[in-house]
Amino acid sequence: MHHGVKLHDIPDEYLVDTLVVAKKVAVASGFVDYNILQVVDHVHFHVIPKPRESDEEGLVIGWPLKKGDMGELKAYAEELKSKL
């Protein structure tokens, strides 16, 4: 494991595993269109669905917030883990 503030701080050999996992999360989620994004001062990735031609969901200017149901989120997390 290697900690870095920005993507370019991480040696290539560590990124190979990281991006493979991000890809697997995107596939397990069933997303057709998505973005993979790093947004804070340490390297990690968000896999964000991007529905076609929609500015109401996914990565959009203003990043709309939606209240999530913790039970549904936990069930979805378990579903994703089972596919990884």
Side-chain angles (χ1 to χ4, degrees), residues 10-25:
I10 307 295
D12 290 348
E13 61 268 20
Y14 291 92
L15 291 175
V16 172
D17 293 335
T18 303
L19 292 176
V20 167
V21 171
K23 175 184 159 186
K24 286 181 178 187
V25 169

Side-chain angles (χ1 to χ4, degrees), residues 20-38:
V20 167
V21 171
K23 175 184 159 186
K24 286 181 178 187
V25 169
V27 170
S29 300
F31 301 144
V32 174
D33 298 309
Y34 56 88
N35 297 290
I36 296 179
L37 177 69
Q38 174 195 340

Side-chain angles (χ1 to χ4, degrees), residues 7 15 18-19 22 36-39 42-47:
L7 185 62
L15 291 175
T18 303
L19 292 176
I36 296 179
L37 177 69
Q38 174 195 340
V39 295
H42 63 273
V43 175
H44 73 279
F45 298 94
H46 296 264
V47 179

Side-chain angles (χ1 to χ4, degrees), residues 25 28-31 71-81 83:
V25 169
S29 300
F31 301 144
E72 288 178 11
L73 291 172
K74 287 178 182 179
Y76 187 57
E78 291 303 316
E79 177 187 338
L80 289 178
K81 284 194 276 187
K83 293 178 180 179

